[in-house]
Amino acid sequence: MALFDYTLRELQEKLHSKEITVTDLVDESYQRIEEVDHAVKAFLTLNKEAAQNQAAELDADRGNDAAKLFGLPIGVKDNIVTKGLRTTAASQLLRNLEDPLYDATVVQKLNEAKSVTIGKLNMDEFAMGSSNENSSYTATRNPWNPDYVPGGSSGGSAAAVAAGEVPFSLGSDTGGSIRQPAAFCGVVGLKPTYGRVSRFGLIAFASSLDQIGPITRTVEDNAFLLENIAGHDKMDSTSANVEVPSYTDALTGDVKGLKIAVPKEYLGEGVTPEVKEAVQAALKKYEELGATWEEVSLPHSKYAVATYYLLSSSEASANLARFDGVRYGVRTDNADTMLDMFKNSRSEGFGNEVKRRIMLGTFALSSGYYDAYYKKAQQVRTLIKNDFEKVLEDYDVIIGPTTPTPAFKVGEKIDDPLTMYANDILTIPVNLAGVPGISVPCGLSSDGLPIGLQIIGKHFDESTVYRTAHAFEQATDFHKQRPSLGGAQS
Ligand SMILES: NC(=O)C[C@H](N)C(=O)O
């Protein structure tokens, strides 16, 4: 059994009993990266020397033993700022950001809890994409089959965990960016309630939707990481001052009497028969475990993708204005006037998808169109949020697939943005509503690709989401399946 097949708690027990050292864990990570990352391409930057030094220090001084994440190796998505460690958001525009001046709040929390940062993980540029093909550096591959995408935008974060390069990682989710790659790579990914985790130091894409969250192999690990990164932060005025419960304690409960809502829109057109069957089998499992389920409707779901692209692109057009070659970003060599300098820095630095969204967002916010597009989209967002709140008054959780299909092939959708956007149809509404959602593995397709089950809960009720996910995980073996990549795992 590979070391990272143990849960985080088990690894910590081994550390505490001195069966293994922090150096063993860090070495395991870099060795696995050496073996498989040429094929997976999950990492953009490695933190090897610093991580090895930190491991040696932690091993030498066990005074930190009690720290919550003591000695555990983690990967961090490349849009989360890490002091002194290159942070590019997978953009050429930030290729020279070698030495950021501060840590994101989540990274500060990781450091206080004494985890070890192994490196920065690939993503779609500025988190815009669903396949990792929009990274300006390299396209991460799906560890289950390198002909397929790992999903996006946190594709590197999900693939690194699935490939056993790190036992856990951080991603960010604006419209599905944690849950969709988790589903495609057969791992567990949670988007917390909006406001649950500080966004300070997350390079902003769409500020009213972005959330940082954990990607892990098990639900328990996921709950464990969330309780260590959640909480109010005075540096992020949108972070909520709501107490953080022990999410791991919540796992002990069962799902007897749990009321599940299954939206008919989530098992309708576009969802492949294999995905439907996997979700139906999961619902059967919940019945066996004592839960009940009923079909419900989220009638405004059909407007979610259009609403999301108007709002997220509008916010992106404002957020990305700072990348102009003066305030942030590589400055062009090719300009005689100030205006040309701004224009050329941005034209050279941004990739096509980012440009497409900036143009769409600028258009939606422009005078004469604002009411018809941006304002209308805000109104529809409220209707979508109301749909969720109404259903969640009567039910404990909402369950459906994470994605309509398993992973698609590299190159299959990259020239057709609308088809690419439609892949997020089941995750986007959750961001618009601001509620928490998790993806857990619930099957394999006939092509041997993972299928994800999505469990959505009430605002700030991650505990019930985790309890529901954990009960399913304990009753099934899907989380134990591993890609054969590299042959290093059973
Ligand atoms: N950032 C996300 O959550 C991913 C989504 N597919 C997007 O491109 O906007």
PDB file of all heavy atoms in Angstrom, residues 191-215:
ATOM      1  N   LYS A 191     -16.956  22.448  -2.570  1.00  0.00           N
ATOM      2  CA  LYS A 191     -17.055  23.913  -2.614  1.00  0.00           C
ATOM      3  C   LYS A 191     -17.825  24.347  -1.381  1.00  0.00           C
ATOM      4  O   LYS A 191     -18.992  23.998  -1.222  1.00  0.00           O
ATOM      5  CB  LYS A 191     -17.817  24.398  -3.849  1.00  0.00           C
ATOM      6  CG  LYS A 191     -17.916  25.936  -3.883  1.00  0.00           C
ATOM      7  CD  LYS A 191     -19.053  26.469  -4.691  1.00  0.00           C
ATOM      8  CE  LYS A 191     -20.355  26.597  -3.961  1.00  0.00           C
ATOM      9  NZ  LYS A 191     -20.422  27.724  -2.990  1.00  0.00           N
ATOM     10  N   PRO A 192     -17.174  25.067  -0.473  1.00  0.00           N
ATOM     11  CA  PRO A 192     -17.860  25.498   0.742  1.00  0.00           C
ATOM     12  C   PRO A 192     -18.929  26.550   0.432  1.00  0.00           C
ATOM     13  O   PRO A 192     -18.961  27.115  -0.661  1.00  0.00           O
ATOM     14  CB  PRO A 192     -16.730  26.109   1.576  1.00  0.00           C
ATOM     15  CG  PRO A 192     -15.456  25.655   0.937  1.00  0.00           C
ATOM     16  CD  PRO A 192     -15.758  25.459  -0.511  1.00  0.00           C
ATOM     17  N   THR A 193     -19.776  26.821   1.418  1.00  0.00           N
ATOM     18  CA  THR A 193     -20.717  27.943   1.352  1.00  0.00           C
ATOM     19  C   THR A 193     -19.934  29.206   1.016  1.00  0.00           C
ATOM     20  O   THR A 193     -18.824  29.411   1.546  1.00  0.00           O
ATOM     21  CB  THR A 193     -21.367  28.162   2.742  1.00  0.00           C
ATOM     22  OG1 THR A 193     -21.925  26.927   3.181  1.00  0.00           O
ATOM     23  CG2 THR A 193     -22.429  29.247   2.700  1.00  0.00           C
ATOM     24  N   TYR A 194     -20.506  30.087   0.201  1.00  0.00           N
ATOM     25  CA  TYR A 194     -19.834  31.358  -0.071  1.00  0.00           C
ATOM     26  C   TYR A 194     -19.634  32.102   1.253  1.00  0.00           C
ATOM     27  O   TYR A 194     -20.586  32.267   2.019  1.00  0.00           O
ATOM     28  CB  TYR A 194     -20.666  32.210  -1.046  1.00  0.00           C
ATOM     29  CG  TYR A 194     -19.961  33.488  -1.378  1.00  0.00           C
ATOM     30  CD1 TYR A 194     -18.914  33.494  -2.292  1.00  0.00           C
ATOM     31  CD2 TYR A 194     -20.281  34.679  -0.732  1.00  0.00           C
ATOM     32  CE1 TYR A 194     -18.217  34.656  -2.559  1.00  0.00           C
ATOM     33  CE2 TYR A 194     -19.590  35.842  -0.993  1.00  0.00           C
ATOM     34  CZ  TYR A 194     -18.549  35.819  -1.911  1.00  0.00           C
ATOM     35  OH  TYR A 194     -17.852  36.956  -2.174  1.00  0.00           O
ATOM     36  N   GLY A 195     -18.411  32.479   1.538  1.00  0.00           N
ATOM     37  CA  GLY A 195     -18.131  33.190   2.789  1.00  0.00           C
ATOM     38  C   GLY A 195     -17.535  32.298   3.882  1.00  0.00           C
ATOM     39  O   GLY A 195     -17.088  32.793   4.903  1.00  0.00           O
ATOM     40  N   ARG A 196     -17.521  30.993   3.645  1.00  0.00           N
ATOM     41  CA  ARG A 196     -17.029  30.061   4.668  1.00  0.00           C
ATOM     42  C   ARG A 196     -15.503  30.119   4.812  1.00  0.00           C
ATOM     43  O   ARG A 196     -14.945  29.999   5.895  1.00  0.00           O
ATOM     44  CB  ARG A 196     -17.490  28.648   4.272  1.00  0.00           C
ATOM     45  CG  ARG A 196     -17.117  27.492   5.166  1.00  0.00           C
ATOM     46  CD  ARG A 196     -17.946  27.365   6.415  1.00  0.00           C
ATOM     47  NE  ARG A 196     -17.668  28.426   7.366  1.00  0.00           N
ATOM     48  CZ  ARG A 196     -18.137  28.473   8.602  1.00  0.00           C
ATOM     49  NH1 ARG A 196     -18.944  27.543   9.035  1.00  0.00           N
ATOM     50  NH2 ARG A 196     -17.833  29.459   9.406  1.00  0.00           N
ATOM     51  N   VAL A 197     -14.826  30.295   3.657  1.00  0.00           N
ATOM     52  CA  VAL A 197     -13.356  30.304   3.636  1.00  0.00           C
ATOM     53  C   VAL A 197     -12.898  31.659   3.088  1.00  0.00           C
ATOM     54  O   VAL A 197     -13.457  32.155   2.104  1.00  0.00           O
ATOM     55  CB  VAL A 197     -12.817  29.159   2.745  1.00  0.00           C
ATOM     56  CG1 VAL A 197     -11.297  29.211   2.638  1.00  0.00           C
ATOM     57  CG2 VAL A 197     -13.269  27.795   3.264  1.00  0.00           C
ATOM     58  N   SER A 198     -11.886  32.214   3.705  1.00  0.00           N
ATOM     59  CA  SER A 198     -11.397  33.524   3.265  1.00  0.00           C
ATOM     60  C   SER A 198     -10.878  33.474   1.830  1.00  0.00           C
ATOM     61  O   SER A 198     -10.171  32.550   1.439  1.00  0.00           O
ATOM     62  CB  SER A 198     -10.253  33.973   4.178  1.00  0.00           C
ATOM     63  OG  SER A 198      -9.603  35.098   3.618  1.00  0.00           O
ATOM     64  N   ARG A 199     -11.211  34.518   1.074  1.00  0.00           N
ATOM     65  CA  ARG A 199     -10.687  34.629  -0.296  1.00  0.00           C
ATOM     66  C   ARG A 199      -9.461  35.546  -0.348  1.00  0.00           C
ATOM     67  O   ARG A 199      -8.952  35.826  -1.429  1.00  0.00           O
ATOM     68  CB  ARG A 199     -11.762  35.187  -1.236  1.00  0.00           C
ATOM     69  CG  ARG A 199     -12.926  34.250  -1.463  1.00  0.00           C
ATOM     70  CD  ARG A 199     -13.919  34.815  -2.470  1.00  0.00           C
ATOM     71  NE  ARG A 199     -14.509  36.057  -2.030  1.00  0.00           N
ATOM     72  CZ  ARG A 199     -14.236  37.262  -2.534  1.00  0.00           C
ATOM     73  NH1 ARG A 199     -13.373  37.416  -3.514  1.00  0.00           N
ATOM     74  NH2 ARG A 199     -14.820  38.341  -2.053  1.00  0.00           N
ATOM     75  N   PHE A 200      -9.002  36.012   0.806  1.00  0.00           N
ATOM     76  CA  PHE A 200      -7.840  36.906   0.787  1.00  0.00           C
ATOM     77  C   PHE A 200      -6.624  36.155   0.237  1.00  0.00           C
ATOM     78  O   PHE A 200      -6.242  35.103   0.741  1.00  0.00           O
ATOM     79  CB  PHE A 200      -7.542  37.425   2.201  1.00  0.00           C
ATOM     80  CG  PHE A 200      -6.348  38.329   2.251  1.00  0.00           C
ATOM     81  CD1 PHE A 200      -6.404  39.605   1.702  1.00  0.00           C
ATOM     82  CD2 PHE A 200      -5.157  37.903   2.806  1.00  0.00           C
ATOM     83  CE1 PHE A 200      -5.296  40.443   1.721  1.00  0.00           C
ATOM     84  CE2 PHE A 200      -4.035  38.733   2.828  1.00  0.00           C
ATOM     85  CZ  PHE A 200      -4.111  39.998   2.284  1.00  0.00           C
ATOM     86  N   GLY A 201      -6.060  36.687  -0.843  1.00  0.00           N
ATOM     87  CA  GLY A 201      -4.918  36.017  -1.463  1.00  0.00           C
ATOM     88  C   GLY A 201      -5.307  35.018  -2.545  1.00  0.00           C
ATOM     89  O   GLY A 201      -4.446  34.367  -3.125  1.00  0.00           O
ATOM     90  N   LEU A 202      -6.588  34.912  -2.827  1.00  0.00           N
ATOM     91  CA  LEU A 202      -7.021  34.128  -4.000  1.00  0.00           C
ATOM     92  C   LEU A 202      -7.099  35.126  -5.155  1.00  0.00           C
ATOM     93  O   LEU A 202      -7.790  36.147  -5.030  1.00  0.00           O
ATOM     94  CB  LEU A 202      -8.399  33.507  -3.756  1.00  0.00           C
ATOM     95  CG  LEU A 202      -9.061  32.840  -4.976  1.00  0.00           C
ATOM     96  CD1 LEU A 202      -8.284  31.588  -5.403  1.00  0.00           C
ATOM     97  CD2 LEU A 202     -10.516  32.460  -4.682  1.00  0.00           C
ATOM     98  N   ILE A 203      -6.384  34.869  -6.233  1.00  0.00           N
ATOM     99  CA  ILE A 203      -6.419  35.812  -7.364  1.00  0.00           C
ATOM    100  C   ILE A 203      -7.843  35.804  -7.913  1.00  0.00           C
ATOM    101  O   ILE A 203      -8.325  34.774  -8.388  1.00  0.00           O
ATOM    102  CB  ILE A 203      -5.370  35.426  -8.433  1.00  0.00           C
ATOM    103  CG1 ILE A 203      -3.969  35.535  -7.827  1.00  0.00           C
ATOM    104  CG2 ILE A 203      -5.517  36.316  -9.668  1.00  0.00           C
ATOM    105  CD1 ILE A 203      -2.842  35.087  -8.741  1.00  0.00           C
ATOM    106  N   ALA A 204      -8.520  36.946  -7.788  1.00  0.00           N
ATOM    107  CA  ALA A 204      -9.968  36.982  -8.007  1.00  0.00           C
ATOM    108  C   ALA A 204     -10.328  36.768  -9.468  1.00  0.00           C
ATOM    109  O   ALA A 204      -9.744  37.362 -10.375  1.00  0.00           O
ATOM    110  CB  ALA A 204     -10.507  38.314  -7.520  1.00  0.00           C
ATOM    111  N   PHE A 205     -11.310  35.913  -9.688  1.00  0.00           N
ATOM    112  CA  PHE A 205     -11.925  35.759 -11.015  1.00  0.00           C
ATOM    113  C   PHE A 205     -13.300  36.437 -10.926  1.00  0.00           C
ATOM    114  O   PHE A 205     -13.513  37.497 -11.489  1.00  0.00           O
ATOM    115  CB  PHE A 205     -11.963  34.266 -11.351  1.00  0.00           C
ATOM    116  CG  PHE A 205     -12.933  33.826 -12.410  1.00  0.00           C
ATOM    117  CD1 PHE A 205     -13.547  34.708 -13.275  1.00  0.00           C
ATOM    118  CD2 PHE A 205     -13.217  32.467 -12.569  1.00  0.00           C
ATOM    119  CE1 PHE A 205     -14.443  34.274 -14.257  1.00  0.00           C
ATOM    120  CE2 PHE A 205     -14.095  32.022 -13.541  1.00  0.00           C
ATOM    121  CZ  PHE A 205     -14.720  32.932 -14.373  1.00  0.00           C
ATOM    122  N   ALA A 206     -14.240  35.839 -10.177  1.00  0.00           N
ATOM    123  CA  ALA A 206     -15.565  36.428 -10.004  1.00  0.00           C
ATOM    124  C   ALA A 206     -15.840  36.455  -8.502  1.00  0.00           C
ATOM    125  O   ALA A 206     -16.208  35.439  -7.908  1.00  0.00           O
ATOM    126  CB  ALA A 206     -16.609  35.615 -10.738  1.00  0.00           C
ATOM    127  N   SER A 207     -15.655  37.625  -7.922  1.00  0.00           N
ATOM    128  CA  SER A 207     -15.598  37.720  -6.450  1.00  0.00           C
ATOM    129  C   SER A 207     -16.876  37.289  -5.739  1.00  0.00           C
ATOM    130  O   SER A 207     -16.825  36.880  -4.592  1.00  0.00           O
ATOM    131  CB  SER A 207     -15.263  39.150  -6.038  1.00  0.00           C
ATOM    132  OG  SER A 207     -14.127  39.576  -6.744  1.00  0.00           O
ATOM    133  N   SER A 208     -18.018  37.351  -6.396  1.00  0.00           N
ATOM    134  CA  SER A 208     -19.261  36.975  -5.706  1.00  0.00           C
ATOM    135  C   SER A 208     -19.509  35.470  -5.801  1.00  0.00           C
ATOM    136  O   SER A 208     -20.502  34.979  -5.273  1.00  0.00           O
ATOM    137  CB  SER A 208     -20.457  37.741  -6.285  1.00  0.00           C
ATOM    138  OG  SER A 208     -20.861  37.171  -7.511  1.00  0.00           O
ATOM    139  N   LEU A 209     -18.612  34.764  -6.463  1.00  0.00           N
ATOM    140  CA  LEU A 209     -18.811  33.317  -6.666  1.00  0.00           C
ATOM    141  C   LEU A 209     -17.625  32.471  -6.183  1.00  0.00           C
ATOM    142  O   LEU A 209     -17.800  31.318  -5.797  1.00  0.00           O
ATOM    143  CB  LEU A 209     -19.022  33.028  -8.173  1.00  0.00           C
ATOM    144  CG  LEU A 209     -20.244  33.686  -8.824  1.00  0.00           C
ATOM    145  CD1 LEU A 209     -20.051  33.814 -10.330  1.00  0.00           C
ATOM    146  CD2 LEU A 209     -21.503  32.894  -8.533  1.00  0.00           C
ATOM    147  N   ASP A 210     -16.416  33.030  -6.248  1.00  0.00           N
ATOM    148  CA  ASP A 210     -15.193  32.266  -5.931  1.00  0.00           C
ATOM    149  C   ASP A 210     -15.205  31.731  -4.494  1.00  0.00           C
ATOM    150  O   ASP A 210     -15.514  32.473  -3.561  1.00  0.00           O
ATOM    151  CB  ASP A 210     -13.942  33.168  -6.022  1.00  0.00           C
ATOM    152  CG  ASP A 210     -13.682  33.754  -7.396  1.00  0.00           C
ATOM    153  OD1 ASP A 210     -14.186  33.221  -8.397  1.00  0.00           O
ATOM    154  OD2 ASP A 210     -12.939  34.777  -7.468  1.00  0.00           O
ATOM    155  N   GLN A 211     -14.812  30.487  -4.313  1.00  0.00           N
ATOM    156  CA  GLN A 211     -14.529  29.934  -2.983  1.00  0.00           C
ATOM    157  C   GLN A 211     -13.366  28.958  -3.091  1.00  0.00           C
ATOM    158  O   GLN A 211     -13.269  28.206  -4.060  1.00  0.00           O
ATOM    159  CB  GLN A 211     -15.734  29.166  -2.429  1.00  0.00           C
ATOM    160  CG  GLN A 211     -16.672  30.007  -1.564  1.00  0.00           C
ATOM    161  CD  GLN A 211     -16.059  30.489  -0.269  1.00  0.00           C
ATOM    162  OE1 GLN A 211     -15.890  29.738   0.673  1.00  0.00           O
ATOM    163  NE2 GLN A 211     -15.742  31.774  -0.203  1.00  0.00           N
ATOM    164  N   ILE A 212     -12.513  28.961  -2.082  1.00  0.00           N
ATOM    165  CA  ILE A 212     -11.426  27.981  -1.995  1.00  0.00           C
ATOM    166  C   ILE A 212     -11.976  26.756  -1.267  1.00  0.00           C
ATOM    167  O   ILE A 212     -12.785  26.882  -0.349  1.00  0.00           O
ATOM    168  CB  ILE A 212     -10.247  28.580  -1.196  1.00  0.00           C
ATOM    169  CG1 ILE A 212      -9.633  29.760  -1.963  1.00  0.00           C
ATOM    170  CG2 ILE A 212      -9.190  27.511  -0.887  1.00  0.00           C
ATOM    171  CD1 ILE A 212      -8.602  30.551  -1.182  1.00  0.00           C
ATOM    172  N   GLY A 213     -11.536  25.557  -1.672  1.00  0.00           N
ATOM    173  CA  GLY A 213     -12.005  24.354  -0.974  1.00  0.00           C
ATOM    174  C   GLY A 213     -11.030  23.195  -1.123  1.00  0.00           C
ATOM    175  O   GLY A 213     -10.097  23.245  -1.928  1.00  0.00           O
ATOM    176  N   PRO A 214     -11.244  22.129  -0.317  1.00  0.00           N
ATOM    177  CA  PRO A 214     -10.331  20.981  -0.278  1.00  0.00           C
ATOM    178  C   PRO A 214     -10.630  19.905  -1.324  1.00  0.00           C
ATOM    179  O   PRO A 214     -11.781  19.611  -1.600  1.00  0.00           O
ATOM    180  CB  PRO A 214     -10.558  20.382   1.121  1.00  0.00           C
ATOM    181  CG  PRO A 214     -11.693  21.127   1.748  1.00  0.00           C
ATOM    182  CD  PRO A 214     -12.287  22.041   0.740  1.00  0.00           C
ATOM    183  N   ILE A 215      -9.557  19.287  -1.829  1.00  0.00           N
ATOM    184  CA  ILE A 215      -9.665  18.107  -2.706  1.00  0.00           C
ATOM    185  C   ILE A 215      -8.854  16.989  -2.048  1.00  0.00           C
ATOM    186  O   ILE A 215      -7.682  17.180  -1.706  1.00  0.00           O
ATOM    187  CB  ILE A 215      -9.157  18.422  -4.131  1.00  0.00           C
ATOM    188  CG1 ILE A 215     -10.026  19.532  -4.743  1.00  0.00           C
ATOM    189  CG2 ILE A 215      -9.182  17.157  -5.000  1.00  0.00           C
ATOM    190  CD1 ILE A 215      -9.691  19.896  -6.168  1.00  0.00           C
TER     191      ILE A 215
END
